[in-house]
Amino acid sequence: MSGSNTGMVSFSTAPKDERSVSKGLAVAAIIERDNAQSFDGIPGERVSIRIYGSQIDNRFSMLESVAAPGCAAPLHTHAEDELFYVIAGTPTFRLGEQVRDVSPGSIVFIPAGTPHSWINKTSSELRMLAIFAPGGVEHLFTRIAGIPLDQIATLASEYGTAVVGPPMDLG
């Protein structure tokens, strides 16, 4: 599925000259929600890759995360900048040593190399968009399905991601 245009509706927005093709700007796209495939992420999470970096010259990638109550990402760093947009629910984020509850509609920006994690401490489902720049790390998420958290670190290191601590506690 990597790099596939399945589910994309493309519109020509610029002539296919050397400049636009080399920058990946030759075609604009609408990606329908119904065409997103979801799969298991970390325990308690369903992930949909909304756009692969390879579809847009690796400028960024976008994932949608639906996390059950109690779902938590381990403390980690990665080479990409990451931006979360909270659609629904109230996640608790840890950015370095700072811990904070985040409300729907909020944006959380995490510069590359910043230790961070999140947890759903509520009794409701959590929905977020995660954008990584540059793209490429989204392929990690397709490979962690069904893997226990304590075994993700080795796989994550192949994508420039380092697990540096456990997930936050529910307490």
Side-chain angles (χ1 to χ4, degrees):
M1 174 175 259
S2 173
S4 166
N5 285 343
T6 304
M8 291 182 74
V9 178
S10 299
F11 299 93
S12 178
T13 58
K16 290 189 176 186
D17 62 19
E18 187 175 303
R19 183 177 146 228
S20 64
V21 172
S22 68
K23 293 185 177 186
L25 300 175
V27 176
I30 296 173
I31 302 169
E32 300 290 344
R33 178 174 177 79
D34 292 345
N35 292 316
Q37 249 184 331
S38 66
F39 51 89
D40 292 331
I42 58 175
E45 179 187 39
R46 294 290 295 165
V47 175
S48 299
I49 298 177
R50 303 298 294 141
I51 191 161
Y52 285 88
S54 59
Q55 292 173 302
I56 54 171
D57 204 23
N58 265 352
R59 285 185 185 85
F60 65 90
S61 58
M62 182 187 299
L63 287 69
E64 182 176 2
S65 170
V66 179
C71 180
L75 186 64
H76 63 283
T77 64
H78 41 77
E80 303 80 14
D81 289 336
E82 185 173 14
L83 183 139
F84 282 93
Y85 175 72
V86 180
I87 299 169
T90 306
T92 300
F93 274 87
R94 176 179 174 184
L95 306 175
E97 295 302 316
Q98 179 185 19
V99 177
R100 184 168 167 198
D101 292 338
V102 179
S103 59
S106 296
I107 293 173
V108 177
F109 173 69
I110 306 164
T114 303
H116 63 284
S117 63
W118 58 264
I119 186 170
N120 182 0
K121 291 184 176 184
T122 72
S123 60
S124 301
E125 192 173 78
L126 169 63
R127 286 188 57 219
M128 301 183 289
L129 290 177
I131 300 168
F132 296 91
V137 73
E138 68 275 13
H139 299 289
L140 168 63
F141 293 87
T142 65
R143 296 185 60 200
I144 63 174
I147 296 176
L149 277 177
D150 62 349
Q151 295 176 17
I152 290 176
T154 302
L155 181 60
S157 67
E158 296 177 24
Y159 293 87
T161 296
V163 176
V164 297
M168 287 185 279
D169 292 325
L170 283 171

